[in-house]
Amino acid sequence: MSTYEDAQQTVSYLRSYGMDAARLEVVGAGLRQATRHRTVPVARLAGVSALKGAALGVLAAVFVTLVAETTLNGLAVVVWGFVYGVLVGTLWGLFRGLIRNRPEATITQVLPTSYEIRCPTDELAVAQTLLADATDVEDGRVEREVIADAPQATHHKNAA
């Protein structure tokens, strides 16, 4: 199968004819390495961090007004908590944005190019027959010639 969703639909098709889903496996094949350069705008990251900092600052200020004795009234403590939270959050977001968006900071993943459905060898003939004779699966998910010509392995635990 070319996509994981197609493989899942094929497993659902086999399940609808009584095959045990616990014995069917969807396995990624043809692995390739993909590298992505993910950049988040520094201004957006700083803004989101400023909002988080403001919320944390207000929360800390409310806690201070409830617990500690201060010479300021409660509203002044909450305002100062908000201001300090925004400042610290903005600086933190700016720092993260500048570090994260470096050209050498890349994300590398191993992704499959196709997916195989595997089942035990004692159920292989049933799965091949179901998929080769599938008349209600018309979307091209299954390469019927390949499935019909698959070897009948008897010494392996799993087969394609």
Side-chain angles (χ1 to χ4, degrees):
M1 311 302 153
S2 60
T3 66
Y4 184 77
E5 290 78 22
D6 290 343
Q8 287 294 94
Q9 288 176 353
T10 303
V11 168
S12 296
Y13 174 78
L14 292 173
R15 280 189 46 210
S16 70
Y17 282 95
M19 291 192 72
D20 185 17
R23 300 185 71 179
L24 296 172
E25 298 175 349
V26 177
V27 179
L31 300 178
R32 65 179 171 86
Q33 187 173 358
T35 303
R36 296 184 303 160
H37 300 282
R38 185 174 177 190
T39 59
V40 179
V42 177
R44 178 177 177 195
L45 196 54
V48 169
S49 294
L51 290 175
K52 290 179 182 178
L56 189 60
V58 168
L59 192 67
V62 168
F63 179 74
V64 165
T65 58
L66 293 176
V67 175
E69 291 286 328
T70 62
T71 58
L72 299 173
N73 64 7
L75 182 61
V77 173
V78 171
V79 169
W80 278 112
F82 177 80
V83 170
Y84 283 133
V86 168
L87 289 174
V88 170
T90 302
L91 291 175
W92 180 255
L94 184 63
F95 178 73
R96 280 186 49 211
L98 293 175
I99 297 297
R100 179 180 286 179
N101 291 332
R102 294 178 302 177
E104 64 270 7
T106 60
I107 299 170
T108 303
Q109 295 176 321
V110 177
L111 301 171
T113 57
S114 62
Y115 295 89
E116 298 175 354
I117 299 172
R118 296 187 181 182
C119 67
T121 54
D122 57 337
E123 296 179 4
L124 180 61
V126 174
Q128 287 176 335
T129 304
L130 285 173
L131 292 174
D133 295 337
T135 57
D136 54 345
V137 181
E138 296 294 332
D139 58 353
R141 293 184 301 213
V142 181
E143 299 174 12
R144 300 193 194 321
E145 314 73 57
V146 173
I147 292 172
D149 295 335
Q152 294 287 338
T154 57
H155 61 282
H156 295 294
K157 181 182 173 192
N158 291 328

